[in-house]
Amino acid sequence: MQLVRKIVVLTTAGLLLAGCQNNPLIGQQTLTPSTPTSTTVADISAPSGKTKTTEVSPAATDMWQLTRKHLQLNLDNDKPRLQSQFKWFAKHPEYMQRVTTRASRYYHYILSEVIKRDMPAEIALLPIVESAYDPFAYSHGRAAGAWQFIPGTAKHFGLKSSWWYDGRRDIVASTDAALTYLQQLHKRFGDWELALAAYNCGGGNVSKAIRKNKKKGLATDFWSLDLPKETRAYVPKLLAISRLIRDAEQLNIPLAPIANTPAFELVELDSQIDLAQAAELGNITTQELYQFNPGFNRWATDPDGPHHLLIPVANVDQFRAGLAELPANQRVNWARYKIRSGDTVSTIARQYKTTSAVIRNANKLQGNNIRAGQYLLIPSAKHQSSDYVLSQSQRFNRKQNQLAQSNRTKTSYKVKSGDSFWKIANHHDISVRQLASWNQMAPGDPLRAGQTLTIWKSPSNQGLSRSDAQLIRRIGYSVRNGDSLYTIAGRFSVSIDDIKRWNKLGNSKYLQPGQKLTLYVDITKAK
């Protein structure tokens, strides 16, 4: 949508994950299958400490069977756009196998919520179109998560965003927001196809197209409206996928089996917890814990909430037992730091790989004024960074190691009086966010005269360094009026040199509206 963009999202290995593709119908998305998991989800309304599971339908033992029982849209019309999409999917059964495998962690929960709201089961398949059911998906339009919310829309629907957490990637929170939004659109337009179109391109564009057709005396159904090209393909894709799910057996299309039992249960915590420690309590890997809880970007949950975790059903009893024996004040490691002369909140924050705001909040500081001899309590990870496989610090270390092993040149810059992130970044032809990230700082952190910053320069002919496929996405970006290399670099937290290198722009400083660029974006830094 104008609100929720769907452009090609790929991993660094070139794996196409979601949205618009090179293929005019739907690009050949090649996903890395997720590790098979228990294919169930718990009733999240269960009180803390109790396991309350409710089967959506006793008669349906498989989620695809349950999906077929609740399909409501017209999947058999003969519109060419629908037929073309259906033919593509029917010719690529391996795609459906891969994407349904990825969906196995989340599909029972999402379909259950859809049915509870008496919505068409087709809605539970929408994340296939949006993100290929990848909660780490990120688009050039700054849309993130399985439902691809952009920041503005996410905020409107109450999805929290902080240094610790991004609600757009939270399976429970984002699903609730997406379904609420779709219900509002359905109430507005009175038709699910129009509601879906509005989810993609915005309600204003759909209303404008309807008014235009009414003035001409034309029909105002989805198929008759003059909508953006992407939207004209968006609804047919969903209908084609739904039809393929319905007719999978006749078409001999393999779908990853998903049992009608919970895959995870929401466990209340009441406080912040170290994620590596939480994984140990449940006898699961931190990788798996992050996959069930992709909203958390750091080594711990957000100290301001949400205070809950999604835990695989098979491990929930062990997790609850371990949690009950662990006092809240021991769920996060606290370092007691004695302030020294010359210390600032920001320098202490960098030392402990946290933020100034976290230290201020933990110590109830109104500002950044501190005195030598005082003590501060600082939350810090209990385990080594390598144990937090998708955390910011682990990503940073991995990135620094890769940069050091690449052809990039590492230079140092000593901050001068009057310097700012913007001034330094502009001088070195890099983005502010890139400069800050190289030095484990936030763009808003203060700089001190004499401080040394690390800057990485890369030759224009170097390709993208290898990185974690779950954090780096290749996206296509169409240059807009007013865009420059600097504004695009800042928007996606990449360097100008990288944009030039990825797109072989040489020394060119000018871009043309409509020009296509390829970007490699770290989804946990892009805003």
Side-chain angles (χ1 to χ4, degrees):
M1 49 185 167
Q2 187 175 349
L3 306 170
V4 185
R5 305 264 184 189
K6 272 67 63 185
I7 300 297
V8 186
V9 182
L10 301 99
T11 64
T12 50
L15 300 180
L16 190 55
L17 295 178
C20 302
Q21 292 83 14
N22 294 327
N23 184 302
L25 302 179
I26 179 170
Q28 299 183 15
Q29 304 177 350
T30 54
L31 307 174
T32 302
S34 302
T35 302
T37 65
S38 113
T39 52
T40 53
V41 183
D43 178 1
I44 63 167
S45 64
S48 175
K50 297 181 181 179
T51 302
K52 177 185 176 184
T53 57
T54 302
E55 293 300 327
V56 178
S57 171
T61 59
D62 177 82
M63 294 308 291
W64 303 122
Q65 180 185 359
L66 184 62
T67 300
R68 296 177 190 114
K69 289 186 177 182
H70 291 270
L71 294 172
Q72 299 180 27
L73 305 185
N74 180 9
L75 308 181
D76 295 308
N77 72 52
D78 57 358
K79 302 294 183 181
R81 280 181 278 162
L82 172 55
Q83 297 304 319
S84 295
Q85 294 290 347
F86 181 76
K87 288 179 181 177
W88 189 93
F89 283 108
K91 289 181 179 179
H92 297 84
E94 71 285 352
Y95 169 75
M96 290 305 298
Q97 174 67 34
R98 288 192 294 269
V99 78
T100 52
T101 296
R102 168 169 287 161
S104 64
R105 287 187 179 91
Y106 321 115
Y107 190 69
H108 181 283
Y109 173 76
I110 291 177
L111 180 61
S112 300
E113 293 302 301
V114 166
I115 293 174
K116 286 178 185 177
R117 296 182 185 225
D118 196 28
M119 299 171 74
E122 288 89 343
I123 301 299
L125 301 172
L126 191 59
I128 296 179
V129 180
E130 289 286 349
S131 63
Y133 255 103
D134 177 13
F136 289 99
Y138 181 80
S139 82
H140 85 285
R142 299 189 299 159
W147 294 96
Q148 289 288 278
F149 277 97
I150 63 169
T153 312
K155 183 177 181 180
H156 178 77
F157 284 95
L159 292 176
K160 178 181 176 180
S161 178
S162 70
W163 185 78
W164 298 91
Y165 168 83
D166 188 340
R168 296 179 297 169
R169 299 191 191 102
D170 184 309
I171 295 301
V172 171
S174 66
T175 296
D176 177 70
L179 299 188
T180 297
Y181 184 29
L182 283 162
Q183 284 182 312
Q184 291 179 5
L185 291 171
H186 181 253
K187 182 177 181 180
R188 174 177 174 179
F189 294 105
D191 177 89
W192 279 113
E193 290 178 349
L194 292 177
L196 289 162
Y199 188 85
N200 176 254
C201 70
N205 285 327
V206 174
S207 293
K208 181 180 178 181
I210 289 174
R211 289 195 299 269
K212 182 178 178 181
N213 274 25
K214 282 183 176 180
K215 287 182 180 179
K216 295 180 179 179
L218 301 175
T220 57
D221 62 285
F222 166 76
W223 305 97
S224 302
L225 297 181
D226 182 16
L227 295 168
K229 181 179 179 181
E230 179 183 323
T231 307
R232 288 171 60 82
Y234 179 82
V235 175
K237 285 178 186 177
L238 177 63
L239 298 179
I241 290 169
S242 302
R243 181 176 163 188
L244 186 143
I245 296 291
R246 185 194 66 184
D247 301 337
E249 292 184 8
Q250 299 93 305
L251 297 169
N252 197 29
I253 301 294
L255 302 176
I258 303 180
N260 184 12
T261 50
F264 62 73
E265 183 169 343
L266 186 147
V267 179
E268 296 290 349
L269 304 173
D270 301 322
S271 66
Q272 186 181 33
I273 191 170
D274 185 301
L275 291 173
Q277 186 176 41
E280 289 180 356
L281 293 178
N283 193 29
I284 59 177
T285 65
T286 51
Q287 176 82 13
E288 186 175 14
L289 187 66
Y290 276 114
Q291 287 170 336
F292 276 104
N293 300 274
F296 294 113
N297 279 331
R298 309 293 169 175
W299 54 268
T301 59
D302 191 325
D304 297 320
H307 294 309
H308 59 243
L309 286 174
L310 303 184
I311 303 296
V313 167
N315 306 85
V316 75
D317 288 341
Q318 181 174 350
F319 179 81
R320 286 191 189 281
L323 187 68
E325 297 177 0
L326 186 66
N329 61 5
Q330 294 181 23
R331 295 177 184 178
V332 172
N333 188 49
W334 291 90
R336 190 167 183 262
Y337 178 82
K338 186 175 182 179
I339 301 171
R340 303 170 183 172
S341 178
D343 276 345
T344 65
V345 173
S346 62
T347 58
I348 298 170
R350 286 197 299 276
Q351 179 179 340
Y352 283 90
K353 300 179 181 179
T354 185
T355 68
S356 299
V358 168
I359 293 178
R360 287 195 300 266
N361 291 339
N363 294 273
K364 296 181 171 55
L365 300 177
Q366 297 301 315
N368 290 317
N369 293 327
I370 54 176
R371 295 198 312 270
Q374 289 181 324
Y375 285 90
L376 294 176
L377 290 177
I378 305 172
S380 59
K382 287 179 175 289
H383 295 254
Q384 295 181 351
S385 294
S386 58
D387 290 334
Y388 305 90
V389 291
L390 297 182
S391 69
Q392 188 273 346
S393 61
Q394 176 61 9
R395 186 186 75 253
F396 177 85
N397 290 337
R398 185 165 52 244
K399 185 173 185 179
Q400 291 294 306
N401 290 336
Q402 291 165 351
L403 289 169
Q405 296 171 12
S406 70
N407 291 329
R408 293 175 185 263
T409 301
K410 181 179 179 180
T411 60
S412 296
Y413 177 85
K414 183 169 287 189
V415 177
K416 304 171 185 176
S417 178
D419 271 346
S420 66
F421 270 120
W422 183 88
K423 184 176 180 180
I424 298 170
N426 193 47
H427 176 74
H428 290 276
D429 202 23
I430 57 177
S431 76
V432 169
R433 288 176 181 162
Q434 192 73 29
L435 176 61
S437 72
W438 286 336
N439 294 277
Q440 291 186 284
M441 299 177 70
D445 285 346
L447 295 174
R448 303 187 322 278
Q451 181 179 353
T452 300
L453 298 179
T454 296
I455 298 173
W456 292 91
K457 288 285 189 177
S458 56
S460 59
N461 63 350
Q462 182 180 333
L464 179 71
S465 62
R466 191 178 176 191
S467 188
D468 191 324
Q470 283 194 297
L471 294 174
I472 303 297
R473 296 289 188 270
R474 192 182 85 185
I475 66 174
Y477 181 80
S478 180
V479 177
R480 307 167 187 172
N481 286 328
D483 273 345
S484 67
L485 288 172
Y486 181 78
T487 59
I488 296 172
R491 185 179 305 155
F492 295 102
S493 300
V494 297
S495 72
I496 292 175
D497 282 349
D498 280 340
I499 296 177
K500 290 181 176 180
R501 173 167 50 84
W502 296 332
N503 296 277
K504 299 180 180 180
L505 298 180
N507 295 322
S508 174
K509 296 182 179 179
Y510 302 101
L511 301 173
Q512 297 296 324
Q515 183 176 350
K516 304 298 182 182
L517 297 177
T518 296
L519 308 175
Y520 292 84
V521 178
D522 183 329
I523 63 171
T524 64
K525 290 192 307 176
K527 303 295 183 183

